[in-house]
Structures are given as structure tokens and as C-alpha cells.
Amino acid sequence: FIWRVMRETTTGAKRLKGALPPNTVVAHKTGSSGINKGITAAVNDIGVVFLPNGRHFFISVFVTDSKENAETNEKIVADIAKVAWDYFNEKSK
């Protein structure tokens, strides 16, 4: 049940999945806080990313105490996930 729910998550499309190749399967759960005095306490995403060869890796990215806007915070998460995807995809060949 939890795998299905996490795979079908539609929130956070610009976070872990944001810079990954189209149709990459990501089972994930997002988290966020509000903004207080221009500081976002948390923009998070944690999950399992499946590689083209069927292998996978676990990842969690936590952006904390950020003065950036929401789009930039989500791009930070996406960029980190893409670096990890590139590394593990190449390593698994």
C-alpha cells in the first residue's frame, strides 16, 4: 500500500522528480513549512528513485532556513536528485 501511495504522489513534481528523465519512477513523500520573516524553514523530499536497469537508490533532501523563493528551493532539491541519479545510473552500468 505505502509503495503505491508513494509512487502515485503528485505533490512535489519539481522536487526529486524535477530534473530526472521523463517517466523515471520515484516513490516519494514531500514536506514543507511556511515562510516566517522571509525564511522558509523546510522544503523536503525523501524517496526511492528507480534507475532504467531496475536498480534503485534512496535519497532525502532537506533545504532548511532558506531565504530563497519556492521555485529556487525546489530546484535545489531537483538538482541534487539529478546529480545522484547521474552517479548511480553510471555506476550501475
Side-chain angles (χ1 to χ4, degrees):
F1 171 77
I2 193 73
W3 281 111
R4 182 179 55 79
V5 170
M6 290 177 68
R7 277 193 315 268
E8 295 174 1
T9 295
T10 58
T11 59
K14 295 182 180 178
R15 294 184 189 183
L16 287 181
K17 296 174 83 168
L20 299 180
N23 301 316
T24 299
V25 175
V26 180
H28 64 118
K29 175 63 178 99
T30 60
S32 301
S33 72
I35 299 171
N36 185 14
K37 298 180 183 176
I39 304 288
T40 302
V43 174
N44 309 321
D45 205 352
I46 183 169
V48 184
V49 179
F50 293 85
L51 300 168
N53 68 358
R55 299 190 74 164
H56 62 274
F57 65 92
F58 294 85
I59 185 170
S60 58
V61 182
F62 299 87
V63 178
T64 60
D65 297 331
S66 176
K67 294 181 181 178
E68 304 296 336
N69 61 34
E71 292 79 23
T72 299
N73 289 330
E74 288 187 326
K75 185 174 181 333
I76 291 167
V77 174
D79 289 348
I80 291 169
K82 180 63 164 82
V83 168
W85 191 92
D86 289 344
Y87 172 80
F88 287 114
N89 189 48
E90 184 61 33
K91 186 177 178 179
S92 68
K93 291 182 179 179

